[in-house]
């Protein structure tokens, strides 16, 4: 775009008489001056030559000088009102006399002060004339700037550059260009909106940080909710409350011959024994024999109470009572204790051990490892199994000889003395021993059940219990011989002499009456082979005194069969 020129002579000059054009400089007052009449052209003076042929404008008709305007207003400012006739001024002649009149619009503008620097050939502000595309620069007043060395964020004006103060908030003046200042320092418009580029970047970073934080929180919440929902779905099959279907209970008693039915009828008559004495303590089981308070158990359970110890009995319902020892026999491993002042006892019925068959179902009840009222079940594995247990004293007086019932019902330490009952809840045996490494052993000498348990037949236990209750001691059936326990052949060999140097065959005894002599070997009892002296004793003790036995005896390689009546002896 070309520069705007005042109407009239181009470049604001008035031709003189010679036809040359001379530019006029505007004085501070803004009025043009006429040349001095006393100075002729060509005279060298200190005063710069003034253009010839110019006169001052009529005071009544001032010359209008176009002021710089913003874009869009330049054309309006340059055109005078159409109703006002143009003013005329006389044009000077070559001699200085005016002979013509020129319009006022064509007069030269007032002189401007010369710039301190060389003119800018491109007329770039502030040294050249301002272009029509921007208003004149506003007045710049000195303002304080940051001290040298102070850190400034990117976009801050350099040191020494005046920064205009931020205007107070308010409605913008002058429309779009009212807020625009082309001469202001960089960032002025930004300061007007509340911050520079660095502040905006920090705000953007803070906004991004808040956005990332919100996303992380949302992800954590979503993960927790998803995990909870997955857990509920996996464990419960849904999010709501789970209610499982359940069939109604079957009221009524169990079948009498079921394990539950047998246990229901047997448990009220079973007790747990805790014994303490000079030789230590023991734990075992017993069962009620009658309503007077007699309880049957193993001798090795209450043995320590014979030296002044105490016996505490705990019933199925949890009631406890003190008991005293009525009597015991180590050879049978049976004992009877009695409680006093206890009512409502439940005696257990006794069965017939001779009627038991291998494979019959049985239930064992006791307190294994002090777990009272424990019920286990199994079958009869074998009958008439000869076992010995005890022998800790070394003189043989504590050895028990039992023609036992074998069962696979689990029996453990603490079951000793407890009942072994059949499918009719009748006692057919007293649990006494289990198999251990090296042979049968009492339950308090082993670690636990291996499925080989042994019980004293109830027929033998009944006779012994009755004798202990009635007489305080039990009798043993005998044949009147002393056996050689070191004999290693088949059968039981009669020794050479008795303990203390007496004869091996008791004079006048059952064996003496049947002509059994020292050195004879007994190989069978009632047609059943015997392999050792222990087995012969077991077979004899399984009978009552007065019972008759058929024995097969060998002497000098010849065998013969004899019948004798068992005698009786008190235990030593």
């Amino acid at each position: 775009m070309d520069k705007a020129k005042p109407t009239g002579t181009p470049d604001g000059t008035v031709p003189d008489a010679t036809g040359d054009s001379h530019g006029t400089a505007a004085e501070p007052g803004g009025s043009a001056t006429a040349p001095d009449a006393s100075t002729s052209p060509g005279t060298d003076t200190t005063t710069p030559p003034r253009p010839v042929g110019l006169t001052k404008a009529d005071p009544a008709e001032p010359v209008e000088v176009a002021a710089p305007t913003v874009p869009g207003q330049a054309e309006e400012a340059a055109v005078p009102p159409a109703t006002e006739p143009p003013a005329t001024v006389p044009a000077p002649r070559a001699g200085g006399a005016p002979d013509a009149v020129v319009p006022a619009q064509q007069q030269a503008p007032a002189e401007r002060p010369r710039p301190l620097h060389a003119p800018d050939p491109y007329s770039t502000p502030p040294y050249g004339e301002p272009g029509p595309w921007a208003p004149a620069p506003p007045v710049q007043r000195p303002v304080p700037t940051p001290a040298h060395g102070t850190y400034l964020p990117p976009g801050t004006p350099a040191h020494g550059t005046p920064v205009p103060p931020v205007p107070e908030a308010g409605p913008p003046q002058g429309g779009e260009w009212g807020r625009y200042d082309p001469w202001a320092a960089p960032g002025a418009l930004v300061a007007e909106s509340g911050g520079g580029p660095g502040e905006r970047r920090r705000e953007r970073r803070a906004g991004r940080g808040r956005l990332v934080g919100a996303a992380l929180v949302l992800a954590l919440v979503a993960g927790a909710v998803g995990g909870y929902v997955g857990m509920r779905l996996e464990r419960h099959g849904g999010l709501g409350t789970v209610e499982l279907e359940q069939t109604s209970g079957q009221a009524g008693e169990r079948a009498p011959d079921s394990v539950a039915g047998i246990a229901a009828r047997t448990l009220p008559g079973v007790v747990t024994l805790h014994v303490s004495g000079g030789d230590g303590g023991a734990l075992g089981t017993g069962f009620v024999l009658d309503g007077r308070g007699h309880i049957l158990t193993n001798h090795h359970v209450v043995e320590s109470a014979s030296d002044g110890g105490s016996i505490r009995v705990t019933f199925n319902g949890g009631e406890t009572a003190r008991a005293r020892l009525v009597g015991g026999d180590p050879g049978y491993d049976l004992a009877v204790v009695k409680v006093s002042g206890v009512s409502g006892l439940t005696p257990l019925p006794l069965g017939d051990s001779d009627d038991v068959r291998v494979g019959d179902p049985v239930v064992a009840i006791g307190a294994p490892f002090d777990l009272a009222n424990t019920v286990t079940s199994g079958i009869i594995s074998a009958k008439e199994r000869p076992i010995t247990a005890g022998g800790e004293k070394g003189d043989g007086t504590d050895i028990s000889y039992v023609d036992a019932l074998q069962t696979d019902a689990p029996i453990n330490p603490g079951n000793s003395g407890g009942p072994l009952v059949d499918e009719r809840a009748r006692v057919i045996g007293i649990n006494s021993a289990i198999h251990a490494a090296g042979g049968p052993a009492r339950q308090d000498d082993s670690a636990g059940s291996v499925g080989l348990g042994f019980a004293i037949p109830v027929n033998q236990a009944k006779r012994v219990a009755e004798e202990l209750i009635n007489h305080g001691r039990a009798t043993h059936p005998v044949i009147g011989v002393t056996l050689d326990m070191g004999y290693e052949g088949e059968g039981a060999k009669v020794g050479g002499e008795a303990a203390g140097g007496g004869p091996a065959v008791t004079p006048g005894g059952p064996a003496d009456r049947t002509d059994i002599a020292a050195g004879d070997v007994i190989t069978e009892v009632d047609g059943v082979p015997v392999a050792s002296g222990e087995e012969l004793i077991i077979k004899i003790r399984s009978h009552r005194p007065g019972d008759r036995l058929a024995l097969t005896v060998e002497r000098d390689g010849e065998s013969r069969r004899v019948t004798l009546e068992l005698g009786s002896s008190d235990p030593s």
Side-chain angles (χ1 to χ4, degrees):
M1 171 183 285
D2 295 335
K3 296 181 180 180
K5 298 180 181 180
T7 57
T9 305
D11 299 330
T13 60
V14 179
D16 59 7
T18 62
D20 296 332
S21 298
H22 301 276
T24 60
E27 294 182 357
S31 59
T33 58
D36 189 358
S38 64
T39 304
S40 62
T43 304
D44 187 9
T45 64
T46 58
T47 302
R50 298 180 179 178
V52 180
L54 296 181
T55 60
K56 291 184 178 179
D58 189 355
E61 300 288 338
V63 179
E64 296 181 4
V65 180
T69 60
V70 295
Q73 298 177 352
E75 292 80 2
E76 297 176 5
V79 178
T83 58
E84 184 178 353
T88 59
V89 294
R93 294 186 178 182
D99 59 355
V101 178
V102 296
Q105 302 88 303
Q106 296 180 0
Q107 290 183 359
E111 293 185 357
R112 295 178 180 271
R114 295 181 181 274
L116 299 179
H117 301 277
D120 184 1
Y122 300 101
S123 301
T124 303
Y127 304 116
E129 294 182 359
W133 57 88
V139 178
Q140 301 289 333
R141 293 182 176 82
V143 295
T145 59
H148 182 70
T150 303
Y151 171 76
L152 299 175
T156 306
H159 180 74
T161 303
V163 179
V166 179
E168 295 182 359
Q173 300 293 332
E176 177 183 2
W177 293 102
R179 297 178 59 188
Y180 174 73
D181 187 357
W183 311 109
L189 293 179
V190 176
E192 198 171 302
S193 62
E199 182 66 23
R200 290 201 303 273
R201 282 194 294 271
R202 284 193 294 273
E203 291 180 358
R204 286 196 297 270
R205 285 197 295 270
R208 286 195 295 269
R210 288 190 293 270
L211 182 61
V212 172
L216 290 177
V217 171
L218 180 61
L220 290 176
V221 172
V225 172
Y228 175 77
V229 171
M231 180 271 293
R232 294 287 300 183
L233 291 175
E234 178 182 0
R235 295 186 179 180
H236 306 286
L239 298 178
T241 302
V242 176
E243 295 183 1
L244 302 178
E245 296 183 0
Q246 185 178 14
T247 59
S248 58
Q250 297 292 334
E253 298 293 337
R254 298 295 185 265
D257 58 348
S258 66
V259 175
I262 295 170
R265 288 182 287 171
T266 305
L267 282 171
V270 180
V271 300
T272 302
L273 302 175
H274 293 86
V275 183
S276 61
D279 295 337
L283 168 69
T285 307
F287 62 93
V288 179
L289 291 174
D290 54 32
R292 292 181 290 180
H294 291 107
I295 295 172
L296 182 63
T297 185
N298 282 139
H299 179 269
H300 70 266
V301 173
V302 297
E303 184 177 8
S304 59
S306 60
D307 297 332
S310 63
I311 303 173
R312 179 166 57 89
V313 177
T314 304
F315 293 90
N316 179 60
E319 302 87 356
T320 61
R322 292 291 179 179
R324 65 177 180 86
L325 179 61
V326 175
D329 190 291
Y332 292 113
D333 196 17
L334 293 171
V336 174
V337 299
K338 183 179 180 181
V339 294
S340 300
V342 179
S343 60
L345 298 177
T346 305
L348 297 184
L350 304 181
D352 185 358
S353 57
D354 292 338
D355 193 37
V356 174
R357 298 294 182 265
V358 175
D360 285 348
V362 291
V363 173
I365 302 176
F369 302 102
D370 205 12
L371 299 173
N373 306 321
T374 298
V375 178
T376 57
S377 64
I379 62 171
I380 294 295
S381 303
K383 289 180 62 177
E384 299 178 357
R385 187 74 75 187
I387 65 169
T388 58
E392 288 82 4
K393 292 183 178 180
D395 56 2
T397 58
D398 63 336
I399 298 177
S400 59
Y401 300 90
V402 180
D403 201 16
L405 298 173
Q406 180 181 330
T407 180
D408 66 348
I411 297 174
N412 292 283
N415 277 108
S416 294
L420 183 70
V421 299
D422 62 11
E423 59 184 355
R424 297 182 182 179
R426 299 177 304 182
V427 179
I428 60 173
I430 294 84
N431 303 316
S432 300
I434 60 176
H435 183 80
R442 291 174 178 170
Q443 296 172 38
D444 54 357
D445 299 328
S446 59
S449 174
V450 293
L452 296 173
F454 304 96
I456 301 170
V458 72
N459 291 357
Q460 180 179 348
K462 177 180 179 295
R463 179 185 65 84
V464 174
E466 290 172 348
E467 291 181 352
L468 293 175
I469 293 172
N470 296 324
H471 308 290
R473 51 192 172 88
T475 59
H476 295 172
V478 296
I479 62 174
V481 298
T482 301
L483 299 177
D484 183 4
M485 303 305 293
Y487 177 69
E488 296 181 356
E490 290 293 327
K493 182 179 181 180
V494 180
E497 61 181 14
V505 178
T506 304
D512 186 35
R513 292 192 296 265
T514 57
D515 195 22
I516 296 176
D520 290 347
V521 178
I522 303 171
T523 59
E524 293 180 0
V525 175
D526 291 337
V528 178
V530 293
S532 63
E534 288 84 357
E535 288 192 16
L536 178 60
I537 297 172
I538 291 170
K539 294 299 182 181
I540 292 172
R541 289 193 178 179
S542 64
H543 294 78
R544 294 171 180 269
D547 291 345
R548 298 183 67 85
L549 294 180
L551 304 178
T552 301
V553 181
E554 290 184 357
R555 182 184 295 174
D556 299 333
E558 294 181 2
S559 64
R560 62 190 177 90
R561 189 180 182 89
V562 298
T563 301
L564 57 76
E565 183 180 341
L566 294 176
S568 176
S569 71
D570 293 335
S572 57

